[in-house]
Amino acid sequence: MATDTVTVEVTGDAGAPPVRLRCTDSGGDGPPLLLLHGLAGHSGEWDALAARFTPTHRVVAFDARGSGASTRRPGDVSRAAHVRDVVQVAHDLRLPAGRLVLVGQSMGGITALLTAAAHPELVRALVLVEAGPDGPSPSLPETIGAWLDSWPVPFPDAEAATAFFGGGAAGRAWADGLAPGPGGLHPRVDRDVMVATVQENAHRDFWDAWDEVRCPVLVVRAGKGMLKQQEADRMAERRPGTRIALVPEAGHDVHLDDPGAVFGEVAAFLAEVDRADRADRADRADRADRADRADPEAAV
């Protein structure tokens, strides 16, 4: 099945130019999955996972505002703006409300969490990959700035970039996020925009939003990642029924380190959601049938 590339425009505040979001859409009639990448990343990070789901699902991904081929310097990089982007993409691509599965990694996971909390009518299920509601993180903007400053830009070639980013599939994916320019390969993100994007995380947590999520949730944690067991345990305690999965040998970019394991966990979770939905529909039909038999005139 061919994947189309489309652009979605999101209107900003009065007088601000619209933000253009580059989206990939596998098409098809299957249940929709919308994939949200992490900070300074790009939608191509999801290619390996998307390929496993396209035979059965309609898979959509997009470059977040400020990243990849989307608007590089948007005026608003708040969490609320990122949530609006998800809602606009779902609307413009006609992803059916109530059937959408949101899958987000790292900062994309925070966006997915906030979207599920604010728009329960839209989201059927939520998958958080190395993402949770803990905070605040006062040192995060400085950490992100120092990390971006450490990039030896321009990279002479893709091989050097892959090695810098740790090699393997994760290193190649990060290298694929670079663009040719004077002297070599350059980032498709700007330092100040990325630092501004994490400012909210420096001052707040997202536990209030976590408590508002009403759909089934899978949390995928990497054994060598950044989401700690204590945070995952607290998530499950505050929201019983949350499914926690561990990929023990993977790092923070677990969707790149071991896409097969992530696919297995997400597929099993979605199968469980399907079974629960079928059981609920059967139970409601049975109760309606019993009510009709108890009061035949009510069915007329």
Side-chain angles (χ1 to χ4, degrees):
M1 185 179 297
T3 297
D4 291 331
T5 300
V6 297
T7 299
V8 169
E9 286 196 353
V10 183
T11 303
D13 296 331
V19 169
R20 296 170 61 85
L21 303 173
R22 176 191 176 275
C23 310
T24 58
D25 182 0
S26 71
D29 298 323
L33 267 66
L34 182 52
L35 310 176
L36 310 178
H37 67 78
L39 185 76
H42 60 100
S43 58
E45 293 178 23
W46 293 111
D47 285 354
L49 186 67
R52 290 167 164 84
F53 274 110
T54 48
T56 55
H57 290 73
R58 180 181 176 187
V59 183
V60 175
F62 68 91
D63 292 338
R65 58 173 60 212
S67 299
S70 293
T71 297
R72 182 158 175 161
R73 299 191 63 81
D76 185 356
V77 291
S78 65
R79 289 295 96 204
H82 283 82
V83 169
R84 289 196 300 274
D85 292 346
V86 173
V87 174
Q88 193 69 53
V89 167
H91 176 271
D92 284 14
L93 299 187
R94 299 183 180 180
L95 305 181
R99 295 185 64 201
L100 181 62
V101 177
L102 282 183
V103 182
Q105 188 261 346
S106 194
M107 286 294 287
I110 298 299
T111 299
L113 188 163
L114 294 174
T115 304
H119 299 277
E121 76 290 348
L122 182 65
V123 183
R124 180 191 184 206
L126 174 64
V127 179
L128 302 180
V129 181
E130 277 287 294
D134 223 358
S137 303
S139 63
L140 185 59
E142 181 180 356
T143 299
I144 294 301
W147 172 58
L148 292 169
D149 288 340
S150 74
W151 294 18
V153 176
F155 294 91
D157 52 39
E159 183 178 1
T162 298
F164 174 80
F165 290 118
R172 288 192 296 274
W174 280 95
D176 287 344
L178 303 172
L185 299 174
H186 295 256
R188 291 191 292 171
V189 298
D190 290 326
R191 180 192 192 277
D192 60 325
V193 175
M194 295 299 101
V195 170
T197 299
V198 301
Q199 284 295 337
E200 280 184 59
N201 299 65
H203 303 291
R204 61 167 293 195
D205 62 49
F206 301 97
W207 287 106
D208 56 344
W210 176 248
D211 292 338
E212 294 299 318
V213 173
R214 294 293 175 260
C215 63
V217 183
L218 167 66
V219 178
V220 179
R221 192 173 74 83
K224 300 177 181 179
M226 298 171 66
L227 178 64
K228 302 306 180 187
Q229 184 65 51
Q230 182 179 7
E231 183 176 358
D233 288 344
R234 187 181 177 195
M235 293 169 76
E237 288 169 4
R238 290 177 69 133
R239 196 179 179 286
T242 299
R243 179 170 175 157
I244 309 293
L246 175 66
V247 182
E249 297 303 316
H252 186 58
D253 288 328
V254 56
H255 60 307
L256 299 170
D257 290 343
D258 198 341
V262 175
F263 169 75
E265 295 293 351
V266 176
F269 167 67
L270 295 181
E272 184 179 278
V273 172
D274 285 341
R275 287 192 296 270
D277 284 350
R278 287 194 297 270
D280 181 63
R281 287 194 298 269
D283 180 64
R284 284 187 278 113
D286 180 64
R287 283 188 280 112
D289 181 63
R290 283 188 279 113
D292 289 345
R293 282 184 280 129
D295 185 5
E297 292 185 2
V300 176

